[in-house]
């Protein structure tokens, strides 16, 4: 990194598992006159723009019976919300006599041809889709009792990642052309938990990820011309809400994070293409003739420099499912700025 610049990455607090719970009122009420299986749903934690109780309109259900819970009872059944805020599906199923049922639910329709009994391959590109899941094992019907439905407590399967940027030096003008996360594993295998997601989160009732592979760069912002450049201010800018990125935060596969070789090899980092100017004169200060080659972007439309900020921090070295990670980057300079 150019020694004449002082770039300060600052990590904001994490938000998600302590976020608000949302209970679903979209359920059948009253006393059923048969032993039909009915559903209700709630999202355990709410993160901005995630799938939640209010915007969830359809989910999918697998169910199994038998002594080893491998007999298919419901096979990828679509459950939809009606205009009267109840959940419906067809054909209607009834509680089996003298058997319990294991239910698995998820949204959107990402499970493909697999089943919840196997690890499910998932591709998170382009990172714009939130996914949720729920497990209700060992249930049996209670004929004639009010609200005896299966209540799915949905959890978020992916990590959510936002990038915020600002500059607090009034003598500098920082113009950003591109922001991306680099070397992020885009594919992996999700395994449903065995325990009920209605219980307090634990190792037995939270889904797990494995086999992460296929590194990819997730774009938050991309400028095609000067009008797309973002000029940083003292107020943090959400880089996912501007320009030619795919919009908003990214929903990414939980994974280990490393930064051992300054952005080389398999390091995971935030790549920022930008230029720094003197606010009063408009003179370009960075990159300049003294900028190291690794900070120069060959062929850049705006002759930008390249900065790399680690995703692994002193607070954590992996992304966990259900958490929202917010990276706050501050780009400033020291007093030697421009002297070279």
């Amino acid at each position: 990194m150019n020694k004449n610049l002082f770039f300060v990455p600052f990590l904001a607090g994490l938000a998600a598992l302590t976020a608000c719970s949302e209970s679903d009122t979209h359920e059948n009420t009253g006393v059923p006159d048969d032993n039909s299986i009915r559903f209700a749903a709630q999202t355990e934690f709410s993160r901005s723009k995630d799938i939640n109780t209010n915007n969830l309109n359809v989910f999918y259900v697998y169910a199994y019976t038998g002594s080893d819970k491998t007999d298919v009872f419901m096979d990828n059944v679509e459950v939809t919300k009606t205009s009267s805020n109840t959940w419906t599906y067809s054909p209607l199923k009834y509680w089996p006599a003298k058997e319990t049922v294991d239910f698995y639910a998820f949204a959107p329709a990402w499970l493909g041809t697999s089943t919840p009994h196997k690890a499910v391959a998932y591709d998170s590109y382009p990172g714009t889709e939130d996914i949720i899941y729920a497990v209700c094992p060992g249930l049996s019907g209670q004929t004639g009792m009010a609200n005896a439905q299966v209540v799915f407590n949905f959890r978020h399967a992916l990590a959510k990642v936002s990038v915020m940027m600002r500059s607090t030096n009034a003598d500098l003008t920082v113009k950003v052309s591109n922001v991306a996360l680099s070397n992020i594993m885009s594919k992996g295998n999700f395994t449903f938990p065995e325990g009920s997601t209605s219980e307090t989160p634990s190792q037995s009732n939270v889904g797990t990820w494995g086999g992460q592979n296929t590194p990819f760069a997730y774009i938050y912002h991309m400028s095609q011309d000067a009008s797309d450049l973002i000029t940083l201010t003292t107020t943090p800018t959400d880089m996912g809400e501007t320009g030619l990125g795919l919009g908003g935060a990214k929903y990414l596969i939980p994974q280990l994070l490393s930064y051992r070789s300054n952005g080389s090899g398999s390091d995971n980092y935030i790549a920022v293409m930008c230029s720094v100017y003197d606010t009063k004169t408009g003179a370009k200060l960075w990159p300049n003739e003294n900028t190291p080659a690794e900070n120069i972007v060959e062929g850049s439309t705006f002759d930008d420099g390249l900065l790399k900020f680690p995703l692994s921090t002193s607070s954590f070295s992996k992304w966990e499912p259900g958490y929202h990670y917010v990276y706050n980057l501050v780009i400033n300079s020291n007093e030697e700025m421009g002297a070279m």
Side-chain angles (χ1 to χ4, degrees), residues 16-314:
L17 288 184
T18 56
C20 298
S21 172
E22 291 192 323
S23 295
D24 188 6
T25 57
H26 308 136
E27 58 187 40
N28 295 320
T29 58
V31 179
D33 56 6
D34 56 31
N35 67 336
S36 61
I37 296 176
R38 297 168 299 118
F39 297 119
Q42 63 184 28
T43 51
E44 182 178 31
F45 302 109
S46 175
R47 304 176 301 189
S48 176
K49 298 186 179 180
D50 292 353
I51 297 176
N52 56 51
T53 296
N54 293 326
N55 61 29
L56 178 64
N57 294 310
V58 59
F59 59 85
Y60 301 84
V61 174
Y62 281 91
Y64 301 90
T65 59
S67 58
D68 56 359
K69 291 298 186 290
T70 58
D71 296 339
V72 178
F73 184 69
M74 299 181 74
D75 188 6
N76 201 18
V77 173
E78 182 178 274
V79 182
T80 59
K81 187 188 299 180
T82 69
S83 59
S84 58
N85 286 333
T86 60
W87 292 102
T88 184
Y89 63 95
S90 180
L92 193 63
K93 300 289 288 186
Y94 296 86
W95 289 103
K98 299 180 181 180
E99 281 193 290
T100 60
V101 186
D102 287 357
F103 293 91
Y104 300 83
F106 56 93
W110 60 277
L111 204 58
T113 59
S114 185
T115 74
H117 284 158
K118 300 178 181 179
V120 183
Y122 181 72
D123 186 344
S124 62
Y125 175 80
T128 56
E129 183 176 72
D130 183 24
I131 60 176
I132 57 175
Y133 68 96
V135 178
C136 292
L139 298 186
S140 58
Q142 300 181 61
T143 303
M145 294 188 65
N147 297 317
Q149 64 264 315
V150 177
V151 180
F152 288 116
N153 184 57
F154 284 100
R155 290 183 174 156
H156 298 282
L158 298 172
K160 184 178 182 180
V161 182
S162 297
V163 176
M164 311 290 288
M165 293 184 64
R166 62 190 172 109
S167 177
T168 59
N169 188 335
D171 295 327
L172 298 178
T173 297
V174 181
K175 294 186 178 182
V176 178
S177 61
N178 292 274
V179 178
L181 301 188
S182 294
N183 280 334
I184 305 304
M185 297 302 172
S186 61
K187 297 181 180 180
N189 301 315
F190 178 78
T191 300
F192 278 79
E194 296 181 357
S196 172
T197 55
S198 296
E199 304 295 332
T200 301
S202 68
Q203 186 175 359
S204 67
N205 59 31
V206 173
T208 57
W209 288 91
Q212 291 89 337
N213 64 88
T214 313
F216 189 80
Y218 287 87
I219 297 174
Y220 281 71
H221 175 78
M222 181 175 64
S223 300
Q224 286 190 321
D225 55 49
S227 65
D228 296 322
L229 294 173
I230 296 177
T231 300
L232 300 184
T233 68
T234 56
T235 301
T237 298
D238 186 342
M239 305 308 292
E241 297 293 343
T242 58
L244 300 175
L246 292 172
K250 297 291 182 284
Y251 298 96
L252 304 174
I253 291 175
Q255 57 195 276
L256 292 172
L257 304 169
S258 66
Y259 195 80
R260 300 189 180 97
S261 51
N262 298 317
S264 299
S266 60
D267 281 356
N268 318 114
Y269 58 90
I270 305 172
V272 178
M273 291 173 55
C274 65
S275 294
V276 182
Y277 302 85
D278 184 293
T279 300
K280 292 181 179 179
T281 67
K284 189 168 187 174
L285 303 176
W286 189 88
N288 54 46
E289 65 274 11
N290 298 308
T291 301
E294 62 264 26
N295 294 111
I296 297 295
V297 183
E298 297 293 340
S300 167
T301 302
F302 309 101
D303 296 321
D304 286 328
L306 174 65
L307 302 175
K308 298 178 180 180
F309 298 97
L311 289 168
S312 177
T313 76
S314 59

